[in-house]
Amino acid sequence: MVDLALRMLLHDRLRFFITVSGVAFAVNLILSQVGLFFGLISNSSVIVRNIPAEIWVTSKNTPNVDFAQAFPEAYVQRVRSIPGVQRADNLIVTFLNIHLPNGATEGTVTYAVEDFQAWNLPWKLESGDIRDLRRGNFMFTDASAVRRIGAFQAGDYREVSGVRMRYAGRSLGATSFTTTPVSFMDYRLAQRMNSNLLEGNTTYILVKAAPGANIQALKAEIQRRLPHNDVYTRNEWAKRSDDYWIKNTGIGLNAYLTVALGILVGVVIVAQTLYTSTMEHIKEFGTVKAIGGSNADIYRLLGRQALVAAVLGFAIGALLTLAMEPGVAAIGLRLILPAPVWFSVALGTVFMCLLSAGVSFRKVANIDPGLVFRS
Amino acid sequence: MPVLEASDIVKEYQEGRNRTRILHGVSLTVEPGEVVALEGPSGSGKTTLLQILGCILSPTEGRVKVNGEPADLSDASALAELRKRHIGFVFQQFNLFPSLNALENVQYALQVKGHRGRGLKEEARRWIEAMELSDRAHYLPRDLSGGQKQRVAIARAMAGNPAALLADEPTANLDSQVGTQVLQLFRSLATDHGRGVLIVTHDPKVRDIADRVLRIRDGLIHA
Ligand SMILES: Nc1ncnc2c1ncn2[C@@H]1O[C@H](COP(=O)(O)OP(=O)(O)O)[C@@H](O)[C@H]1O
Ligand SMILES: [Mg+2]
């Protein structure tokens, strides 16, 4: 088979390069923005998603996991007494201040439970033994915090909210949306360090359901027994935290705008280069018609050209995005691109290119085949 | 049965508010095996008539039959179908696909006409050979001389065995000697292959090979 569509495209390499670059640029713009968006958002609920608690009890109207509010820690007893609850424990999330060696102070959002292993916290360690948290004034801080609090390692001492603490180690991947460093320490210790708020109080109850328990029913029962608290499934709670930041920081709007911009740039570049290329080859399309080609033949030619641009452009744009990952990681951000995103962007690219081909087609469909007789 | 038959063709062009009548009721037939030359001053409507006969342009009035089939002048895709099955065009500007080599130009025409596979390749090669282009089969048009380009164009027009061959000033861009060779090719396509050939030209040499020479003047044909 003679592939006239492809040969026409490749005959003008510069234009072909521009078309493919345009698509690749648009794809890269969209993928990197969506990836950054998911990367940022995942910071807000990464801890919730890693704790093996199917149900979270929060104080009334807590907006997100970092902005915790206190309620009586004895409530946990009511939860423990419900059939279908395998385990329920208090979790304190509280802001503490770390005094840095340079004299500055940084906040740290501190997660405190009695049994860290039972709740898979922290789920990834860089150094240290989590059991040390039971032994006294020890804490873990996430390795990502070095951007905020400078270098630190196990064995270093820091003054935290007026208490001399020692680092037992560093965790990995525990982040907050606001990039406030995440720390871990013993439940009672955290309670004492913020005693005016937390004396006799907790901020969350983590609930692990018994195997086979009906989560929705369990949630409803907990809610019935704790009418002045909110009760969420893990997904609901993670989503509530995510949505809080999406709505209140404009990153959602920003992501939408950039994606729209990417689509616009892609469509404009592809439509424009495809259209000028079509106009330049108009006599060839006229010839196709003169030798008996139908409009369907013309559309197939244009569609194929658009498809080639789409596939190549997507491939290059996707590779560019992957190539950006180390750079993005170096500035403390992450690209998270789930399979459905790749899939929709690929489909969108094809659609965008075919749409552009449609613009050219309207022109070619109406050409006067007599133009092949003119010089 | 004539391969081309035009009866009482009237063609008017609308330009702004003016309607200009280019053809005033022209009738013409081309029989199989016949070479008909059509002469006339520039602007006399030769190309217009050729486009009408070739089902590229619809006349304002009149009827066209191709290989016995009446052309439905209101149906663009039916006209395309007629072109595809019965008509080969040769142009003054050659109009080869610049990104395809000689052989591929012919192959592509066959593809458009619905041919596929081994048969397509063989037929394309046959026409390239018939036009004595075997050693140029893989050259791009830009590397071919004018005469070679026009021979590729003829091979492309002949591929698929159309009954009628329509050529618009096929020798205008060729030097005299090459022009004579190209005209001889048209002659043999009519004589040896039974095609009906209509050549629009100013070239006086066409008289040596044409069975009939028609002159068009003031929108009418004079034998
Ligand atoms: N598409 C068109 N619209 C308007 N006028 C046209 C068009 N095509 C040709 N003409 C006019 O019709 C006349 C005949 O044109 P043409 O058939 O090309 O003549 P020839 O081929 O004999 O030189 C010319 O005056 C030309 O300007
Ligand atoms: Mg003319």
Side-chain angles (χ1 to χ4, degrees):
Chain A
M1 286 293 270
V2 177
D3 193 342
L4 180 62
L6 194 61
R7 300 288 287 275
M8 243 188 228
L9 268 187
L10 293 175
H11 201 62
D12 187 346
R13 282 175 204 230
L14 180 63
R15 187 187 306 289
F16 183 57
F17 176 77
I18 293 172
T19 311
V20 171
S21 309
V23 180
F25 176 72
V27 165
N28 178 241
L29 198 63
I30 293 168
L31 281 178
S32 58
Q33 280 301 310
V34 173
L36 279 176
F37 173 78
F38 282 124
L40 278 174
I41 273 307
S42 76
N43 285 339
S44 89
S45 58
V46 63
I47 298 177
V48 175
R49 293 184 198 278
N50 274 287
I51 294 176
E54 287 90 352
I55 294 175
W56 282 63
V57 178
T58 76
S59 72
K60 206 85 190 158
N61 292 325
T62 302
N64 69 66
V65 68
D66 291 349
F67 294 1
Q69 286 155 47
F71 61 87
E73 63 183 348
Y75 285 7
V76 73
Q77 301 302 344
R78 295 195 215 165
V79 178
R80 283 176 181 153
S81 68
I82 298 172
V85 170
Q86 187 180 67
R87 184 182 183 124
D89 281 335
N90 285 318
L91 162 71
I92 282 178
V93 176
T94 184
F95 272 96
L96 300 174
N97 289 318
I98 306 180
H99 295 272
L100 305 184
N102 66 7
T105 304
E106 270 285 1
T108 176
V109 56
T110 305
Y111 284 69
V113 288
E114 285 183 328
D115 185 344
F116 280 92
Q117 273 158 319
W119 297 106
N120 194 31
L121 275 178
W123 57 95
K124 212 167 168 191
L125 285 180
E126 188 195 78
S127 61
D129 184 341
I130 199 68
R131 285 170 300 188
D132 287 345
L133 291 183
R134 301 298 280 279
R135 295 199 294 121
N137 292 353
F138 285 100
M139 67 190 284
F140 273 69
T141 296
D142 197 78
S144 61
V146 290
R147 317 187 122 264
R148 297 284 292 267
I149 64 172
F152 68 98
Q153 58 188 3
D156 287 358
Y157 287 91
R158 292 284 184 280
E159 192 192 306
V160 178
S161 298
V163 179
R164 190 170 139 90
M165 300 283 292
R166 189 172 173 191
Y167 277 119
R170 316 208 305 181
S171 67
L172 282 174
T175 52
S176 65
F177 180 82
T178 55
T179 73
T180 306
V182 173
S183 299
F184 301 91
M185 69 175 65
D186 179 67
Y187 181 81
R188 293 293 160 203
L189 183 57
Q191 209 171 30
R192 276 202 307 279
M193 285 171 92
N194 203 355
S195 57
N196 50 343
L197 279 177
L198 294 174
E199 174 111 58
N201 284 338
T202 183
T203 57
Y204 297 106
I205 298 170
L206 301 175
V207 183
K208 196 181 179 70
N214 179 333
I215 303 295
Q216 288 304 327
L218 197 54
K219 176 187 152 187
E221 180 58 21
I222 295 170
Q223 183 70 79
R224 200 179 65 78
R225 306 238 190 145
L226 295 174
H228 302 296
N229 289 66
D230 286 334
V231 185
Y232 300 98
T233 65
R234 173 164 43 186
N235 263 337
E236 287 165 355
W237 177 235
K239 190 167 172 339
R240 185 172 165 87
S241 285
D242 291 349
D243 287 350
Y244 176 86
W245 295 112
I246 293 173
K247 284 187 191 124
N248 290 294
T249 60
I251 65 161
L253 180 68
N254 179 59
Y256 275 120
L257 286 180
T258 319
V259 168
L261 188 72
I263 291 171
L264 192 73
V265 167
V267 169
V268 167
I269 292 185
V270 176
Q272 149 76 21
T273 52
L274 221 53
Y275 184 78
T276 34
S277 152
T278 307
M279 289 304 105
E280 250 167 41
H281 293 116
I282 196 83
K283 215 162 182 176
E284 290 179 58
F285 289 107
T287 307
V288 172
K289 279 192 160 179
I291 63 181
S294 59
N295 274 345
D297 289 315
I298 303 284
Y299 196 66
R300 234 170 289 148
L301 282 174
L302 290 173
R304 186 162 165 73
Q305 294 186 336
L307 218 57
V308 169
V311 169
L312 264 178
F314 178 80
I316 294 174
L319 286 177
L320 277 178
T321 310
L322 293 177
M324 281 169 62
E325 265 188 322
V328 168
I331 53 171
L333 294 171
R334 265 188 307 164
L335 291 176
I336 294 186
L337 289 161
V341 171
W342 290 103
F343 189 70
S344 344
V345 174
L347 264 186
T349 310
V350 168
F351 178 74
M352 168 177 99
C353 288
L354 289 182
L355 195 77
S356 309
V359 176
S360 298
F361 176 67
R362 291 182 47 152
K363 188 78 185 179
V364 181
N366 296 320
I367 54 167
D368 166 15
L371 94 136
V372 288
F373 293 97
R374 282 173 227 136
S375 39
Chain B
M1 180 181 63
V3 292
L4 292 172
E5 192 174 355
S7 322
D8 309 318
I9 299 293
V10 172
K11 180 66 189 177
E12 292 176 346
Y13 283 118
Q14 183 88 37
E15 263 187 308
R17 292 160 147 266
N18 302 327
R19 287 176 80 80
T20 350
R21 188 168 279 217
I22 307 296
L23 301 174
H24 296 256
V26 171
S27 298
L28 155 81
T29 57
V30 179
E31 298 290 339
E34 188 184 31
V35 176
V36 175
L38 184 61
E39 298 178 343
S42 165
S44 57
K46 304 183 296 296
T47 298
T48 301
L49 181 57
L50 184 107
Q51 286 175 246
I52 291 170
L53 283 164
C55 300
I56 272 186
L57 190 67
S58 294
T60 313
E61 288 169 29
R63 292 172 314 280
V64 176
K65 275 191 188 177
V66 180
N67 224 15
E69 285 184 46
D72 178 355
L73 299 166
S74 60
D75 182 348
S77 59
L79 289 177
E81 193 60 31
L82 272 183
R83 289 201 293 277
K84 183 152 104 178
R85 280 189 286 127
H86 301 304
I87 292 168
F89 285 105
V90 176
F91 312 94
Q92 177 179 348
Q93 307 291 330
F94 319 127
N95 291 353
L96 297 178
F97 298 108
S99 57
L100 304 183
N101 67 33
L103 183 62
E104 290 164 337
N105 262 278
V106 182
Q107 288 176 340
Y108 183 72
L110 285 167
Q111 265 169 230
V112 169
K113 294 178 182 190
H115 295 236
R116 290 290 178 270
R118 181 179 286 275
L120 178 153
K121 288 210 169 122
E122 275 165 13
E123 180 170 359
R125 197 162 279 288
R126 249 202 350 267
W127 284 112
I128 286 289
E129 272 164 24
M131 295 297 124
E132 296 177 357
L133 287 163
S134 297
D135 56 336
R136 296 284 182 278
H138 298 288
Y139 283 41
L140 287 178
R142 63 160 183 255
D143 298 323
L144 296 173
S145 70
Q148 288 164 344
K149 277 188 237 190
Q150 200 55 301
R151 272 145 56 203
V152 175
I154 296 170
R156 184 177 70 180
M158 287 303 295
N161 290 311
L165 209 52
L166 299 177
D168 193 11
E169 317 253 10
T171 59
N173 282 2
L174 304 176
D175 64 40
S176 166
Q177 198 189 340
V178 175
T180 306
Q181 287 168 7
V182 165
L183 289 174
Q184 284 302 334
L185 279 172
F186 282 116
R187 179 68 260 174
S188 66
L189 288 171
T191 309
D192 306 342
H193 296 264
R195 309 300 141 166
V197 181
L198 178 71
I199 305 176
V200 163
T201 185
H202 295 299
D203 191 341
K205 295 192 299 295
V206 80
R207 291 168 175 272
D208 300 339
I209 58 122
D211 297 304
R212 285 190 285 145
V213 178
L214 306 175
R215 281 197 67 79
I216 186 167
R217 193 157 15 91
D218 303 327
L220 289 170
I221 282 187
H222 307 266

